[in-house]
Amino acid sequence: MTQSSTLKIRRVGIDTWRENVVYMHRDCPVVRAAGFQALSKVEVHANGQLILAVLNVVSDERIVSACELGVSEDAFRRLGVEDGHSASIAHAEPARSIGALHRKISGERLGKDELASIIRDIADARYSKIELAAFVVATNQYELDREEVVHLTEAMIDVGRRLDWQREVGHGLVVDKHCIGGIPGNRTSMLVVPIVAAHGMLCPKTSSRAITSPAGTADTMEVLAQVELPFERMVQIVRDTRACLAWGGTADLSPADDILISVERPLSIDSPGQMVASILSKKIAAGSTHLVLDIPVGPSAKVRSMAEAQRLKKLFEYVAKHLRLQLDVVLSDGRQPIGHGIGPVLEARDVMQVLQGDPAAPQDLRQKALRLAGRMIEFDPDVRGGEGFQIARDILDSGRALAQMNAIIDAQGRRADVALPGVLQAEILASEDGVVVALDNLRIARIARLAGAPQVPAAGLDLLKRLGDSVVKGEPLYRIHAQYEADLQFARTHAEKDCGYRLGRAEQLPHEFASGVLFMM
């Protein structure tokens, strides 16, 4: 490393989302001498730390001067040095796994070692976003076979931290519940966790924040308590309460998956193999031994048909068996949102209403949570099959689940103020008389996000009508909540073009709704 390659670090406040990016002025002597070009991959050394980054070349000295090295927020955090610290830069060697990537792009099947090499390089930030996108697209176009999914899942687990709750708190049986997503308002985890913890089971729930949905479990729990917990504190909370509802980002579980998700979401790619590896790697890394997995099925859900759901169920079961995870897959109704509220504050309100036994509580959220909690309770060797639902209902109705939730909230750090829905409101009205025969989950989620959710926790939608409900022209279908006038206008304009509800005649209802029977298998 020559002296001419030493520059002063300048923190550039740009969020590059899971990618290290550095910035150099085009008049920088290092750029000319070393032949750096835009989008080159470079090594940055500072204070004994090394990161790999993508280079952007700029012309504006207000961003970075000729003697400075600008670094993105991700790169600055990884380097862990002060603004102005000296750093040296050099060309990076190509990732060792590039050959394996090219083989996958050509449609070849990859072995265990090749997939492990790719995932190692991804976790070490050796792949640019372009290379990550190539891997994601290739594994979607040339679908991973079952063995490849097993190897991919193992590789994702191996490059991150793996929790051992037997060592940490002395529990061998660790239960968890996960939904593959795509259904607004589906906040069952915040009910299932306190129910099963009140039964005496260990349920340390590490959850994600929303990326394309109006709320994730972590966003909704954050309305009630702190969720960004240091690992040691999270462990202590689990010791004290047998559970937590925390953001998983601080635990460094399956970090390669977090990087891949940053590319999958903008591309709207969620291939079965990647989905299975993503979910199971996170759960196994989090120390789960037993998992209930919810796969909602519906016309605007991630899984559109029962045949597709059965194929996905079998793939999950195959991989889980090979990784010694006990798995119970539930196929549930995904034809409409769950609960009344969509958005962090509104969903937290629904959860607390169910826990408190409020008559206004959404019954669909209550029933689904009880069924999922019942399946988890049946992992207890002392509980006979079929008894879980009754046990879960007794725990909820007795107030024990509410007491457990309050203990978890207090342990994590209760919010001092009660959060209320956004004060700016607009009602979306029915355009004609009829019966609600369909709801579009994607459209409804989009409108809630335009209202500001989840970045503005108080924003979102309050659903007033559901499948099978009769409406008259001018009657409100849902209420938009926002904190800012611009957000309210964006959401209202979008809703007026297509509100996400389809009205028709009672005979157009899906058979299960017409007969009053909803599936949950």
Side-chain angles (χ1 to χ4, degrees), residues 67-96:
C67 61
E68 292 177 320
L69 178 69
V71 297
S72 67
E73 290 294 289
D74 279 88
F76 189 78
R77 186 166 53 250
R78 281 181 178 244
L79 282 170
V81 297
E82 296 294 323
D83 215 15
H85 197 284
S86 294
S88 56
I89 184 169
H91 289 282
E93 292 294 323
R96 292 194 181 116

Side-chain angles (χ1 to χ4, degrees), residues 22 26 31 35-41 54-58:
V22 297
R26 66 175 62 257
V31 173
F36 287 119
Q37 295 181 347
L39 299 185
S40 298
K41 283 190 283 188
V54 173
L55 173 65
N56 282 199
V57 178
V58 304

Side-chain angles (χ1 to χ4, degrees), residues 296-350:
V297 185
S300 57
K302 282 186 179 181
V303 177
R304 305 294 175 90
S305 70
M306 289 300 293
E308 184 184 350
Q310 290 290 354
R311 286 195 298 273
L312 186 60
K313 176 178 183 286
K314 289 177 181 177
L315 181 57
F316 268 111
E317 290 171 341
Y318 179 85
V319 177
K321 180 179 179 181
H322 277 69
L323 298 175
R324 295 183 295 280
L325 174 70
Q326 190 162 333
L327 179 66
D328 181 10
V329 179
V330 177
L331 306 184
S332 65
D333 185 349
R335 282 170 284 193
Q336 63 178 331
I338 301 294
H340 298 149
I342 300 171
V345 167
L346 293 161
E347 293 179 30
R349 175 207 63 193
D350 284 359

Side-chain angles (χ1 to χ4, degrees), residues 390-456:
Q390 182 63 51
I391 293 171
R393 187 170 62 187
D394 290 346
I395 290 170
L396 180 61
D397 291 345
S398 68
R400 290 164 57 202
L402 175 61
Q404 188 73 39
M405 183 61 155
N406 280 325
I408 295 168
I409 290 171
D410 288 336
Q412 292 187 198
R414 184 182 294 270
R415 297 294 180 193
D417 300 323
V418 176
L420 299 174
V423 293
L424 300 179
Q425 300 178 18
E427 290 187 339
I428 301 304
L429 309 179
S431 59
E432 58 183 336
D433 295 351
V435 173
V436 179
V437 296
L439 282 86
D440 187 331
N441 288 308
L442 297 173
R443 173 71 58 172
I444 288 168
R446 171 73 171 151
I447 293 167
R449 284 181 64 84
L450 287 170
Q455 287 81 8
V456 180

Side-chain angles (χ1 to χ4, degrees), residues 38-362:
L39 299 185
S40 298
K41 283 190 283 188
V42 297
E43 292 182 354
V44 179
H45 298 256
N47 196 34
Q49 298 294 321
L50 165 67
I51 66 166
L52 298 158
V54 173
L55 173 65
N56 282 199
V57 178
V58 304
S59 302
D60 192 338
E61 290 207 354
R62 290 173 297 181
I63 299 173
V64 61
S65 72
C67 61
E68 292 177 320
L69 178 69
V71 297
S72 67
E73 290 294 289
D74 279 88
F76 189 78
R77 186 166 53 250
R78 281 181 178 244
L79 282 170
V81 297
E82 296 294 323
D83 215 15
H85 197 284
S86 294
S88 56
I89 184 169
H91 289 282
E93 292 294 323
R96 292 194 181 116
S97 63
I98 286 296
L101 171 62
H102 289 163
R103 285 193 289 279
K104 188 43 133 180
I105 291 171
S106 298
E108 295 182 32
R109 182 187 181 280
L110 298 183
K112 180 175 182 176
D113 292 343
E114 291 172 308
L115 284 165
S117 178
I118 288 173
I119 294 303
R120 229 177 359 255
D121 282 339
I122 289 173
D124 291 341
R126 291 185 177 274
Y127 274 27
S128 67
K129 283 284 175 72
I130 295 170
E131 290 161 336
L132 289 168
F135 179 67
V136 167
V137 171
T139 54
N140 182 64
Q141 182 177 2
Y142 303 107
E143 190 169 326
L144 299 170
D145 67 26
R146 297 192 305 176
E147 292 301 321
E148 284 182 297
V149 179
V150 171
H151 298 326
L152 180 62
T153 308
E154 290 173 329
M156 287 182 172
I157 296 166
D158 290 343
V159 297
R161 187 178 202 166
R162 187 163 181 175
L163 306 185
D164 184 349
W165 293 104
Q166 175 66 39
R167 186 186 66 229
E168 298 289 353
V169 299
H171 265 263
L173 193 151
V174 181
V175 299
D176 201 352
K177 167 261 160 189
H178 185 82
C179 177
I180 68 167
I183 307 300
N186 193 19
R187 211 48 59 215
T188 53
S189 291
M190 291 176 64
L191 295 166
V192 168
V193 170
I195 289 171
V196 301
H199 177 68
M201 306 179 87
L202 196 74
C203 189
K205 179 70 175 167
T206 54
S207 302
S208 61
R209 292 188 181 278
I211 298 177
T212 59
S213 66
T217 297
D219 302 302
T220 305
M221 184 64 181
E222 195 169 39
V223 172
L224 307 173
Q226 295 179 34
V227 297
E228 295 192 9
L229 307 173
F231 176 70
E232 294 73 17
R233 185 178 168 202
M234 185 175 75
V235 170
Q236 187 58 53
I237 290 168
V238 175
R239 284 197 189 104
D240 294 341
T241 68
R242 294 186 297 279
C244 67
L245 282 154
W247 178 56
T250 55
D252 196 30
L253 305 174
S254 192
D257 179 52
D258 293 331
I259 295 170
L260 286 169
I261 286 172
S262 72
V263 174
E264 290 166 354
R265 294 294 168 84
L267 292 173
S268 297
I269 289 177
D270 205 1
S271 64
Q274 287 281 359
M275 180 194 297
V276 171
S278 170
I279 291 171
L280 295 188
S281 68
K282 280 271 174 61
K283 296 307 172 186
I284 293 171
S288 300
T289 61
H290 296 67
L291 174 67
V292 168
L293 181 72
D294 175 20
I295 301 179
V297 185
S300 57
K302 282 186 179 181
V303 177
R304 305 294 175 90
S305 70
M306 289 300 293
E308 184 184 350
Q310 290 290 354
R311 286 195 298 273
L312 186 60
K313 176 178 183 286
K314 289 177 181 177
L315 181 57
F316 268 111
E317 290 171 341
Y318 179 85
V319 177
K321 180 179 179 181
H322 277 69
L323 298 175
R324 295 183 295 280
L325 174 70
Q326 190 162 333
L327 179 66
D328 181 10
V329 179
V330 177
L331 306 184
S332 65
D333 185 349
R335 282 170 284 193
Q336 63 178 331
I338 301 294
H340 298 149
I342 300 171
V345 167
L346 293 161
E347 293 179 30
R349 175 207 63 193
D350 284 359
V351 167
M352 295 311 296
Q353 284 179 341
V354 172
L355 288 169
Q356 293 163 355
D358 190 323

